[in-house]
Amino acid sequence: MITGTPKPIEEILEMIEPYEKIIVAGCFGCVTVCRVGGEKEVQVLASTLRLAREAGGRPLEIREVCLERQCDPEYLDPMRPYVEDYQAVLSIACGAGIQFMAEKFARTPLLPGINTGFLGVTERQGEWAERCQGCGDCVLHLTGGICPVTRCAKSLFHGPCGGSVGGICEVSRDVPCGWQLIIDRLKALDQLENYGKLKPYKGWSSARDGGPRRIIREDMI
Amino acid sequence: MKSGSNLERVLAAGQFAVTAECGPPRGADPEKVLKKAEFVKGNVDACNVTDNQTSVVRMSSLAGCLLVRQSGTEPLLQMVVRDRNRIALQSDLLGASALGVRNLLCLSGDHQKFGDDPQAKNVFDIDSIQLIHLVKTMRDDGVFPSGEKLDGAPKFFIGCAVNPFADPFEIRVPRFKLKADAGADFVQTQCIYNMDTFTRYMEEAKKMGLHERVKILAGVTPLKSVGMAKFMNKMVAGIDIPEPVIKRLADEPKEKQAAKGIEMCIEQIQQLKEMEGIAGVHVMAIEWEEKLNEIIGGAGLLPRPVVDEGETER
Ligand code: SF4
């Protein structure tokens, strides 16, 4: 899922400072699962903002909505009849959702209520960790199902580097060395022979380096 | 000869090679490099110039190399893949070769988190092993990795680094082999203090015949004090200083620890010299370059040999 973290409330208050009437929009997708931008978070954020603004003597009118998804046009359309009655939309969906809404509602300012994080997993309640950088050229079959691009702090293709000690990455005591994980797993799978081969330079054009990406599935158009 | 560098000639002639290193200054003053280089001069066959080590911004390695050469020592250019993509790497390689730098060390580089600019974007477009392959392709095939023909191939004696003390141990020699397969001509190891682990490492490397494919220069760093030993052991990832080594220093009064450190370093070089498969030493006297003459001379490795192109056997 796409993960994120809430922006500090002070930053949000500063963003909405010019407005008296806004929409706070959540999303039932990823951000609901990682509890940063779902229906409940919309309610909590809206009441916090209302209280803060009342205390400052400038009350704020908020319409609370939560869309099925902010990244699909069909779910944005229902907002169209009323969106222009408000001065801005504060969205707590991921960056993709926020931008898509901005594209669809050309005359309404869109404000981000969260910082979008990464493509990750729930390791345990309240803890998420990155697993994929969406580089567009998956090699997991060669690396024991563990991604060197994401899990190695230097995205090495022939790790581990000299900084790997006791399974920990040189970058931080809290970061497991991705290459130690790869090797442990290759060993467990009896596939260590995969390690001994030189890998071609990675083509980054399928990653963000090639410019904004697009997928076109002719069979679906 | 692949590069014709002095280091390559010394090694090809079967002489025990000596290299040292100079870290360029955190500023634009050339005198700082020239001063360090004075201590190196005459004591080594080539001198590494580091490339923004520990991700702290310093004078560029290439500029440092030219200053080192100006002072009379053959430079060895360190190049990390942290800060440059393959376009910049290739371009800098061409420039370095054009300016007469003949020795190269291909490295990943410490993560930028350790330096003054932890907010910097890192590159790691290719890794250090792929950099070895890239240089070799340019040098031996006369083409860019893209396949385009080079208008004059760069000439480098290609080096890599290995750390026998990082984890997992079992993958250390296979990773060294990958560097050999990619085209490394020589290797400089991380500073060795744990001779038992290093001996085990060398046994494995020799089993794979790596010492016959790649010239192995064993890395040493003299310890200035117990404090330094403890600090390095604890704080520097991939440094392993066994307790007995620390104890030997600790048994000395404070003012005699530096001299003891040098004595231990000399002893160690002599041991390494006797080890099968070791072709030379890399003496990293960090911010202690003035002791190089004492250490290298003490180990009986001076004067450095002068090897003409004709005397080398291949
Ligand atoms: S310690 Fe491991 S994860 Fe960290 S940079 Fe080195 S190889 Fe990558």
Side-chain angles (χ1 to χ4, degrees):
Chain A
M1 87 191 93
I2 298 174
T3 60
T5 47
K7 276 189 178 289
I9 201 73
E10 299 74 28
E11 194 182 332
I12 297 181
L13 282 168
E14 203 183 309
M15 261 188 254
I16 61 167
E17 179 36 50
Y19 310 115
E20 277 101 40
K21 208 178 160 193
I22 65 167
I23 297 172
V24 173
C27 173
F28 281 115
C30 308
V31 289
T32 290
V33 185
C34 67
R35 307 239 207 118
V36 71
E39 196 170 32
K40 209 170 120 219
E41 290 76 31
V42 168
Q43 288 165 8
V44 174
L45 178 61
S47 7
T48 313
L49 295 176
R50 275 191 208 103
L51 282 174
R53 284 286 290 263
E54 257 157 46
R58 275 192 67 225
L60 178 70
E61 186 188 330
I62 298 180
R63 176 168 183 158
E64 301 173 19
V65 298
C66 196
L67 308 186
E68 196 54 38
R69 280 197 293 280
Q70 292 194 19
C71 54
D72 258 327
E74 59 183 293
Y75 301 112
L76 293 174
D77 282 341
M79 277 179 78
R80 199 168 291 285
Y82 61 83
V83 75
E84 289 197 7
D85 300 340
Y86 294 83
Q87 294 166 301
V89 178
L90 173 65
S91 165
I92 52 175
C94 72
I98 303 174
Q99 288 185 60
F100 207 37
M101 202 183 281
E103 260 170 74
K104 298 289 169 215
F105 306 132
R107 283 188 297 269
T108 307
L110 257 291
L111 317 169
I114 70 165
N115 291 319
T116 302
F118 46 78
L119 268 68
V121 296
T122 315
E123 281 196 339
R124 59 187 172 121
Q125 171 120 343
E127 187 164 344
W128 294 271
E130 184 170 20
R131 287 292 184 273
C132 178
Q133 292 200 353
C135 74
D137 185 14
C138 195
V139 294
L140 286 171
H141 58 302
L142 299 174
T143 54
I146 292 159
C147 172
V149 175
T150 311
R151 305 294 296 278
C152 167
K154 300 177 188 168
S155 298
L156 302 179
F157 269 75
H158 307 84
C161 76
S164 175
V165 176
I168 299 298
C169 171
E170 67 173 29
V171 166
S172 159
R173 286 188 207 288
D174 307 323
V175 178
C177 168
W179 269 99
Q180 174 81 57
L181 298 174
I182 292 173
I183 284 157
D184 290 348
R185 180 104 166 113
L186 287 177
K187 250 200 297 189
L189 295 172
D190 205 10
Q191 289 181 353
L192 215 47
E193 76 276 3
N194 280 353
Y195 181 81
K197 298 181 196 130
L198 285 174
K199 319 246 179 355
Y201 316 159
K202 180 169 175 58
W204 294 101
S205 63
S206 57
R208 170 62 188 80
D209 306 80
R213 292 170 281 176
R214 183 174 291 273
I215 295 171
I216 301 174
R217 289 268 311 267
E218 297 291 353
D219 57 326
M220 290 172 64
I221 296 175
Chain B
M1 288 275 112
K2 292 170 174 168
S3 70
S5 79
N6 182 53
L7 180 62
E8 183 181 7
R9 287 202 306 273
V10 168
L11 285 165
Q15 301 271 5
F16 194 74
V18 181
T19 53
E21 79 176 32
C22 269
R26 303 209 62 201
D29 183 2
E31 289 305 320
K32 294 268 159 54
V33 183
L34 293 170
K35 206 172 141 218
K36 278 190 184 176
E38 268 314 301
F39 293 124
V40 174
K41 193 175 169 180
N43 294 317
V44 300
D45 305 312
C47 178
N48 292 38
V49 181
T50 54
D51 181 4
N52 298 297
Q53 80 266 30
T54 62
S55 307
V56 168
V57 179
R58 291 168 184 277
M59 182 189 291
S60 77
S61 177
L62 179 53
C65 279
L66 297 186
L67 290 165
V68 164
R69 191 180 55 185
Q70 185 183 318
S71 89
T73 302
E74 178 173 277
L76 191 160
L77 179 76
Q78 294 197 182
M79 192 174 267
V80 302
V81 296
R82 176 193 58 224
D83 310 320
R84 279 169 285 206
N85 67 10
R86 67 191 78 175
I87 300 172
L89 290 167
Q90 293 171 68
S91 166
D92 284 352
L93 286 166
L94 295 180
S97 182
L99 292 168
V101 176
R102 291 287 172 265
N103 304 304
L104 179 77
L105 192 73
C106 302
L107 302 167
S108 314
D110 300 308
H111 195 269
Q112 74 276 10
K113 164 170 175 150
F114 296 100
D116 296 343
D117 296 294
Q119 304 289 353
K121 193 166 179 175
N122 68 24
V123 182
F124 296 113
D125 174 13
I126 57 173
D127 66 22
S128 62
I129 295 181
Q130 292 166 334
L131 176 61
I132 296 170
H133 177 269
L134 179 147
V135 186
K136 186 179 155 66
T137 305
M138 289 168 83
R139 182 191 69 191
D140 296 351
D141 304 342
V143 293
F144 290 102
S146 65
E148 289 297 311
K149 218 172 145 348
L150 274 157
D151 197 358
K155 284 198 168 68
F156 286 111
F157 191 41
I158 306 171
C160 63
V162 296
N163 185 355
F165 311 101
D167 288 321
F169 181 76
E170 70 211 90
I171 219 75
R172 289 293 139 195
V173 174
R175 190 161 187 259
F176 177 16
K177 180 174 176 292
L178 282 175
K179 297 188 176 192
D181 292 347
D185 302 311
F186 72 95
V187 60
Q188 293 172 321
T189 78
Q190 171 67 286
C191 341
I192 302 159
Y193 296 101
N194 190 331
M195 288 294 271
D196 294 342
T197 303
F198 186 62
T199 306
R200 269 202 292 146
Y201 179 88
M202 280 303 294
E203 288 309 320
E204 291 297 314
K206 280 188 286 188
K207 256 189 242 160
M208 289 196 189
L210 295 176
H211 63 307
E212 279 154 5
R213 297 171 59 195
V214 182
K215 300 287 182 190
I216 302 175
L217 275 58
V220 294
T221 290
L223 293 165
K224 281 184 195 173
S225 65
V226 177
M228 173 185 175
K230 286 190 175 153
F231 174 83
M232 281 174 65
N233 206 21
K234 189 153 172 244
M235 301 306 288
V236 186
I239 293 267
D240 172 11
I241 312 183
E243 203 38 54
V245 174
I246 299 184
K247 189 168 177 303
R248 265 187 84 186
L249 276 179
D251 286 346
E252 296 291 318
K254 236 195 167 100
E255 67 285 359
K256 288 198 180 147
Q257 285 175 4
K260 190 73 186 174
I262 287 179
E263 182 192 316
M264 285 160 63
C265 186
I266 292 172
E267 237 173 60
Q268 200 192 355
I269 294 175
Q270 284 164 338
Q271 278 177 38
L272 289 163
K273 195 164 177 258
E274 297 311 314
M275 257 169 108
E276 192 203 338
I278 302 295
V281 275
H282 178 48
V283 188
M284 292 164 276
I286 305 159
E287 297 304 320
W288 218 17
E289 292 82 3
E290 64 271 26
K291 297 290 179 193
L292 280 171
N293 183 269
E294 187 181 336
I295 296 167
I296 296 163
L301 298 173
L302 291 179
R304 297 309 309 147
V306 180
V307 182
D308 292 332
E309 188 105 0
E311 295 173 39
T312 54
E313 13 124 345
R314 270 242 146 226

